[in-house]
Amino acid sequence: MKKILLVLGLIIVIAACLWMLFFTPEKLTPGNPAGKTVYYSMIIGPGVHDGNDRYDYEITAYNDKGQEKKLDFSAGKQLKEGAYIQLYYTLIRGVTHWEEISFEELPEAVRQQYQK
């Protein structure tokens, strides 16, 4: 029984070391686009106030190739209607960071989605 626990503990330690090797701190920083997919969207309608001074948004966003994805995220303030935003998204953590950008900063494929 002690040998099984020792082997299991060793496997956990090795797995943790490998995980830290492949997931560098830069990739875990919310505002760093490394290892994240960047999406773009326009704020349509007000966010839903959740009672904790945060506003929840459910939006349709587009990657730089114009592919659509539904995303959920929250913000610490009410976002301006019609504002364009850039979102950093990961599969496990969801949207980790957003920032407001101008229409000119949108990729061409995304601009075409909003000019329709």
Side-chain angles (χ1 to χ4, degrees), residues 10-112:
L10 187 59
I11 289 172
I12 291 172
V13 169
I14 291 172
C17 289
L18 288 174
W19 184 79
M20 287 190 302
L21 178 68
F22 290 110
F23 293 102
T24 61
E26 295 83 36
K27 288 183 181 178
L28 296 175
T29 304
N32 186 349
K36 299 175 182 78
T37 306
V38 179
Y39 285 95
Y40 303 89
S41 185
M42 182 172 73
I43 300 298
I44 300 172
V48 178
H49 190 261
D50 69 0
N52 293 327
D53 292 330
R54 302 217 36 101
Y55 294 86
D56 296 327
Y57 292 89
E58 186 175 310
I59 59 172
T60 301
Y62 303 92
N63 65 10
D64 58 352
K65 296 177 183 137
Q67 297 169 329
E68 183 179 309
K69 183 166 184 76
K70 299 279 187 198
L71 297 176
D72 298 322
F73 73 100
S74 69
K77 65 178 186 174
Q78 182 80 30
L79 300 180
K80 185 172 50 172
E81 177 107 18
Y84 295 99
I85 58 172
Q86 177 179 350
L87 306 120
Y88 298 153
Y89 173 82
T90 63
L91 185 61
I92 295 172
R93 296 171 62 198
V95 175
T96 61
H97 180 75
W98 65 268
E99 60 185 290
E100 192 172 327
I101 60 173
S102 67
F103 183 77
E104 292 75 28
E105 293 177 273
L106 294 172
E108 185 61 36
V110 178
R111 273 191 239 157
Q112 291 175 0

Side-chain angles (χ1 to χ4, degrees), residues 3-15:
K3 288 182 183 182
I4 293 173
L5 290 176
L6 182 62
V7 170
L8 185 60
L10 187 59
I11 289 172
I12 291 172
V13 169
I14 291 172

